[in-house]
Structures are given as structure tokens and as C-alpha cells.
């Protein structure tokens, strides 16, 4: 750092006392050790590293940043889901009767038919029943 | 960008853990922090400890700096308080017995030895001043701060700073002029 820093333009000041300035310079630790202030800063920065890291971490977890990160991931997914839901709602069930018709026929075919095993159905007596008749026709 | 607003910006960035911003603040105020700490403690080692610790305390409590544009003044308050606490602790420790030979020093080069002598004279002269005058004379004549800056950072009226500086210089001139080494310094400067 420049020793003359801040010495210019001291309007209204008492002015410089060069002699006293020279004498006081002896108190500057960098007079006998040129790297003093560099090391001073280095020591402070080393000791401050944990606190600075903690602050960076805390900043990463602010509500603002959470919302920002959500805007990058959750919101597009939510939008896609909403669009898909709207598309599904527009295709109401009445618009596609075939699906329900197919189910209806299936239901119709098996409704009120007692559960019977394959050997029973294929037995000689089975032909007497309505179900067997229907199966034959089908 | 003005000096004040850039200082405020550095504080805001340091609040978020920006290493460069905090490093710049340290660089900006390390000399002044040392000078203020020295004006309170009167010893290099104590001033160094107090100034360095003050930066760490300032970082930990940065949220308490209500006006980031006035970080310097806020930091100087921390430095003064830390320095006073350090002296208090030191004075408690001084009651312990100092081991024999603990104060002996290794031989120093001539220049360092000479500087040490001059330093001792200066320290003696500075001790004659009230603390606030020591702070002002060191910030003004060692660090090159302006009256306005000192007044702003120490929370004093500008006229008071001028007056303190005037009296501090007067005392120092008398004290340094009356010692043989002070005369030697005077001769060197001439």
C-alpha cells in the first residue's frame, strides 16, 4: 500500500508535518519487514475462511434462491403436468364411447355366470345350460 | 462509484461470503486498525493481535453494521473495544511471575536496534498523550487520513479533530526534541 495515499488535497487540515511523519514511520511494522501487511492480510483471511464459507452456504439456502432453483426444475415440470391434465380433461369420457362399450360387452358376457372351472364347462352336461349355449354361439 | 458506496458494496458482498470483498476491506483498513489499536495498547504485539481479531469480530457481526457505507467507523469502534479488552486481560496476566530470561532477545542488526530505540522514544512520547490524541495523530500523520475522514470514522466533530491534532503535535515535538535520539531523528530528517 502506498504511504502517500490520502495525503493529497487535505483542504482545511492543519497541513503536513513532514518531520513528525518521518519520526512516526518507525512505528510502521513494514519499516523493518516489507512483507508485513501482506502477511497481516493473509492471517486474517486464513482465520476468516470458515466464516466466509458459512456465509456463502447460508446465501445458497435463502428463500429467494430456493424459489429460483424451483423455477428452474419444479415449475417446468408442474407446467407440463398442468398442460397434460388440461388435455385429458378436454377429452371427456363421453367423447370415446368405444372404450366403455367394449367393457360393457365384456361385462355383459360374464354377468351372472356362476364361476365354473374349465372341466365343468366342457363336460357333456354343460350343453344344457344357457351359458354353454351362449359360448357356443359366440 | 464513490468511495463510500464502494465500501458499502464491499460490505454487502462480504455479507454473502465474498472472499475478495472482505480481503479488500482488510487491505483498506488494516493500517488504520493497527494504528488505532496501537494508540490504545502502546505495544506492537498487542496492537497486531487486537487489529487482526477485530477484523474477525467484524466479519462475524457484519449484520450489526447498520450502515455499510460507514464500515470504517464501525470497525474502528470494534478495534478500540478489543484493544481495551486486551489491555485489561494483559494487566491481569502481569501479576504472574515472569520467568527468568523470558525477556531476553536475540541480537538484532544495527538498523533494527536503532529503530527499536527510536520506537521506544516515540512510545514514551505517545504515552504522554490522551488516547484520543494518539489515535488522531497516528491516523493523520502516520496513515495520512484527512480531518474529515478521522472525524467521520471516530465519530468526532471536525473542529475537535483539528484541535486534538494541534495539541498532540505540540506535545510530541517537545518530547521528541528533548531526547538525544529525538534530536538525532530530527537531524536525519533534515
Amino acid at each position: 500500500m502506498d504511504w502517500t495515499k490520502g495525503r493529497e488535497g487535505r483542504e482545511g487540515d492543519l497541513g503536513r508535518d513532514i518531520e513528525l511523519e518521518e519520526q512516526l514511520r518507525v512505528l510502521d511494522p513494514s519499516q523493518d519487514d516489507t512483507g508485513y501487511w501482506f502477511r497481516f492480510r493473509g492471517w486474517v483471511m486464513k482465520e476468516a475462511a470458515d466464516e466466509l464459507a458459512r456465509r456463502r452456504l447460508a446465501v445458497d439456502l435463502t428463500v429467494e434462491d430456493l424459489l429460483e432453483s424451483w423455477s428452474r426444475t419444479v415449475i417446468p415440470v408442474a407446467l407440463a403436468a398442468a398442460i397434460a391434465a388440461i388435455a385429458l380433461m378436454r377429452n371427456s369420457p363421453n367423447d370415446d364411447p368405444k372404450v366403455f362399450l367394449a367393457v360393457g360387452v365384456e361385462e355383459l358376457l360374464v354377468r351372472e355366470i356362476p364361476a365354473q372351472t374349465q372341466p365343468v364347462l366342457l363336460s357333456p352336461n354343460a350343453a344344457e345350460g344357457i351359458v354353454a349355449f351362449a359360448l357356443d354361439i359366440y | 462509484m464513490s468511495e463510500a458506496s464502494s465500501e458499502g458494496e464491499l460490505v454487502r458482498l462480504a455479507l454473502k461470503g465474498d472472499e475478495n470483498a472482505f480481503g479488500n476491506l482488510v487491505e483498506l483498513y488494516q493500517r488504520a486498525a493497527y494504528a488505532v489499536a496501537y494508540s490504545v495498547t502502546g505495544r506492537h504485539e498487542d496492537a497486531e493481535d487486537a487489529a487482526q481479531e477485530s477484523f474477525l469480530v467484524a466479519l462475524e457481526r457484519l449484520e450489526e453494521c447498520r450502515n455499510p457505507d460507514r464500515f470504517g467507523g464501525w470497525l474502528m469502534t470494534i478495534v478500540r473495544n478489543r484493544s481495551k479488552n486486551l489491555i485489561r486481560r494483559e494487566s491481569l496476566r502481569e501479576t504472574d511471575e515472569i520467568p527468568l530470561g523470558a525477556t531476553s532477545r536475540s541480537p538484532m542488526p544495527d538498523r533494527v536496534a536503532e529503530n527499536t530505540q527510536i520506537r521506544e522514544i516515540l512510545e514514551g512520547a505517545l504515552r504522554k498523550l490522551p488516547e484520543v490524541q494518539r489515535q488522531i495523530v497516528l491516523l493523520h500523520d502516520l496513515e495520512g487520513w484527512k480531518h474529515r475522514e478521522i472525524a467521520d470514522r471516530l465519530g468526532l466533530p471536525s473542529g475537535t479533530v483539528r484541535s486534538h491534532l494541534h495539541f498532540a503535535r505540540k506535545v510530541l515535538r517537545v518530547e521528541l526534541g528533548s531526547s538525544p535520539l529525538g534530536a538525532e531523528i530530527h537531524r536525519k530528517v533534515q
Side-chain angles (χ1 to χ4, degrees):
Chain A
M1 197 177 272
D2 184 7
W3 267 104
T4 59
K5 181 183 171 288
R7 289 182 193 276
E8 306 88 20
R10 289 197 278 182
E11 297 87 5
D13 282 19
L14 288 179
R16 293 179 62 181
D17 184 332
I18 310 282
E19 193 183 321
L20 188 61
E21 281 177 17
E22 287 293 329
Q23 290 170 337
L24 289 174
R25 273 190 197 190
V26 175
L27 298 177
D28 175 15
S30 66
Q31 285 289 296
D32 294 326
D33 177 1
T34 49
Y36 180 81
W37 294 115
F38 180 77
R39 284 203 317 281
F40 183 103
R41 184 184 181 277
W43 186 89
V44 174
M45 294 310 290
K46 188 180 158 220
E47 294 297 312
D50 286 350
E51 177 62 17
L52 287 167
R54 187 193 67 76
R55 286 182 176 278
R56 282 194 295 274
L57 197 70
V59 166
D60 289 343
L61 296 174
T62 60
V63 175
E64 196 178 297
D65 286 319
L66 270 178
L67 287 174
E68 200 183 303
S69 70
W70 284 1
S71 70
R72 285 196 296 267
T73 53
V74 179
I75 293 175
V77 171
L79 273 173
I83 291 164
I86 291 166
L88 281 172
M89 282 170 73
R90 279 188 180 165
N91 297 329
S92 67
N94 294 335
D95 292 342
D96 195 3
K98 287 175 192 169
V99 176
F100 291 98
L101 191 62
V103 174
V105 169
E106 251 185 320
E107 272 185 10
L108 212 67
L109 287 171
V110 296
R111 188 173 291 163
E112 292 176 9
I113 298 172
Q116 288 179 318
T117 59
Q118 199 74 0
V120 171
L121 286 169
L122 297 174
S123 69
N125 300 332
E128 294 170 8
I130 299 162
V131 174
F133 171 74
L135 282 171
D136 283 347
I137 298 302
Y138 187 77
Chain B
M1 198 183 280
S2 70
E3 191 190 324
S5 67
S6 69
E7 188 175 316
E9 188 55 33
L10 288 175
V11 173
R12 278 182 276 274
L13 288 168
L15 271 165
K16 293 177 184 173
D18 189 310
E19 219 164 292
N20 285 334
F22 183 66
N24 286 341
L25 285 171
V26 174
E27 211 167 305
L28 200 62
Y29 284 109
Q30 59 186 359
R31 287 172 175 275
Y34 175 85
V36 168
Y38 187 86
S39 70
V40 178
T41 62
R43 273 172 46 169
H44 165 70
E45 291 80 6
D46 291 343
E48 184 182 68
D49 285 351
Q52 287 178 335
E53 281 174 21
S54 296
F55 280 106
L56 300 178
V57 170
L59 178 64
E60 279 169 22
R61 299 182 188 166
L62 211 48
E63 282 80 3
E64 294 171 27
C65 179
R66 279 172 287 178
N67 188 351
D69 289 332
R70 297 174 68 89
F71 171 80
W74 180 72
L75 176 71
M76 292 309 132
T77 307
I78 294 175
V79 173
R80 278 198 302 276
N81 291 337
R82 294 296 295 184
S83 305
K84 282 174 185 169
N85 287 342
L86 199 79
I87 290 175
R88 225 168 283 146
R89 286 204 303 266
E90 290 287 319
S91 65
L92 287 173
R93 258 184 245 147
E94 269 168 19
T95 55
D96 298 340
E97 197 181 330
I98 299 168
L100 208 66
T103 53
S104 67
R105 291 178 180 179
S106 56
M108 285 178 286
D110 288 349
R111 192 173 155 274
V112 176
E114 189 189 343
N115 277 352
T116 306
Q117 277 181 300
I118 297 170
R119 179 189 279 266
E120 279 167 9
I121 292 166
L122 272 170
E123 284 173 354
L126 285 167
R127 269 196 291 272
K128 299 265 167 76
L129 299 173
E131 187 192 304
V132 67
Q133 289 186 6
R134 280 200 297 269
Q135 281 175 34
I136 290 168
V137 78
L138 289 177
L139 287 174
H140 192 276
D141 290 337
L142 184 65
E143 297 306 321
W145 280 24
K146 299 171 191 168
H147 282 175
R148 186 178 46 78
E149 289 173 321
I150 297 170
D152 192 46
R153 263 72 165 198
L154 298 187
L156 294 169
S158 196
T160 308
V161 172
R162 273 174 74 92
S163 155
H164 278 315
L165 181 64
H166 173 75
F167 285 109
R169 279 177 168 180
K170 204 172 162 183
V171 170
L172 286 179
R173 279 188 201 120
V174 170
E175 289 296 320
L176 295 172
S178 63
S179 73
L181 260 164
E184 176 65 14
I185 300 166
H186 180 80
R187 190 191 57 75
K188 275 185 183 177
V189 173
Q190 297 299 306

